[in-house]
């Protein structure tokens, strides 16, 4: 009887996961146009490379592609036109006048070119995170904000590849 109950439990769990839209990410290969990629990011005033570039490279390598450092002729260029972060105060403590909730925003604009020809025109992606503050956890909340911003850029890298795949598939048809 215990084996039957476990089987029913596993079936219900699988049905629940399938019903909520959860799918294992897997490691489907990159489209041919993204196999050899040169990521271009103008850094006029940035001292440190943003995490987005690291995540774009890691995602490409995880899926069988590679990122070249110089603009080789047969490499597709992913041009990051804009990467901006913002923080908006959502609520303020009536006692202290300090921020209680903030909305973090990270936006990226990019385009894909090959041989001087635009394959995917300029596109924009934006991700948001809400951060809540407590007076007793000021220092840990600063680290939480840094972690949230890094995770937002990781998510943007994944979303960029998904969007590029979709647009490249539409162009191919």
């Amino acid at each position: 009887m215990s084996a039957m109950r476990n089987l029913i439990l596993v079936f219900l769990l699988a049905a629940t996961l399938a019903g909520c839209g959860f799918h294992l990410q897997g490691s489907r290969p990159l489209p041919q146009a993204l196999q050899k990629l040169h990521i271009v990011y103008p850094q006029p005033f940035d001292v440190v490379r943003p995490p987005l570039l690291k995540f774009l490279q890691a995602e490409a390598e995880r899926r069988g592609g590679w990122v070249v450092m110089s603009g080789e002729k047969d490499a597709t260029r992913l041009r990051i036109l804009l990467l901006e972060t913002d923080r908006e105060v959502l609520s303020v403590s009536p006692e202290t006048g300090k921020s209680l909730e903030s909305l973090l925003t990270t936006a990226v604009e990019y385009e894909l070119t090959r041989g001087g020809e635009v394959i995917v025109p300029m596109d924009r992606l934006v991700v948001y995170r809400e951060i809540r503050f407590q007076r007793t956890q000021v220092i840990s909340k600063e680290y939480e904000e840094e972690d949230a911003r890094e995770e937002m850029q990781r998510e943007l890298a994944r979303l960029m590849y998904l969007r590029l795949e979709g647009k490249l598939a539409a162009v191919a048809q």
Side-chain angles (χ1 to χ4, degrees):
M1 195 61 171
S2 174
M4 181 61 115
R5 188 180 75 203
N6 288 342
L7 183 62
I8 291 172
L9 184 62
V10 168
F11 176 74
L12 287 174
L13 179 63
T16 303
L17 285 176
C20 76
F22 174 80
H23 299 286
L24 291 173
Q25 185 174 0
S27 60
R28 72 183 177 279
L30 288 169
Q32 183 64 33
L34 298 176
Q35 288 288 323
K36 189 175 187 182
L37 201 58
H38 174 60
I39 300 173
V40 180
Y41 176 70
Q43 296 177 285
F45 304 110
D46 295 345
V47 176
V48 178
R49 288 175 43 123
L52 175 68
L53 303 179
K54 173 180 71 173
F55 297 134
L56 286 169
Q57 181 172 352
E59 184 72 10
E61 291 170 355
R62 185 183 71 79
R63 295 182 53 196
W66 67 94
V67 175
V68 294
M69 292 302 163
S70 64
E72 295 182 23
K73 290 185 180 187
D74 61 337
T76 303
R77 292 176 55 142
L78 175 59
R79 293 183 57 221
I80 309 297
L81 305 170
L82 174 75
L83 178 61
E84 62 184 6
T85 59
D86 192 24
R87 183 175 192 240
E88 179 182 342
V89 175
L90 297 178
S91 66
V92 177
S93 168
E95 296 116 18
T96 63
K98 294 189 178 184
S99 170
L100 290 177
E101 294 178 305
S102 295
L103 181 67
L104 304 178
T105 306
T106 302
V108 64
E109 292 180 359
Y110 59 94
E111 71 178 2
L112 196 66
T113 63
R114 186 174 194 132
E117 179 184 330
V118 175
I119 301 171
V120 175
M122 195 273 296
D123 195 8
R124 180 179 175 90
L125 285 170
V126 183
V127 293
Y128 304 93
R129 291 287 185 283
E130 190 175 306
I131 300 286
R132 292 187 170 93
F133 293 94
Q134 295 177 0
R135 281 184 269 157
T136 60
Q137 298 177 336
V138 174
I139 293 177
S140 64
K141 287 298 177 181
E142 289 177 9
Y143 290 120
E144 182 180 335
E145 183 174 334
E146 287 178 28
D147 289 345
R149 289 201 181 279
E150 189 167 305
E151 183 55 38
M152 291 167 72
Q153 291 196 22
R154 179 180 283 118
E155 182 179 345
L156 277 173
R158 284 189 223 117
L159 291 173
M160 284 174 67
Y161 278 112
L162 285 172
R163 178 91 45 102
L164 287 169
E165 286 178 60
K167 291 190 179 219
L168 287 170
V171 168
Q173 292 179 353

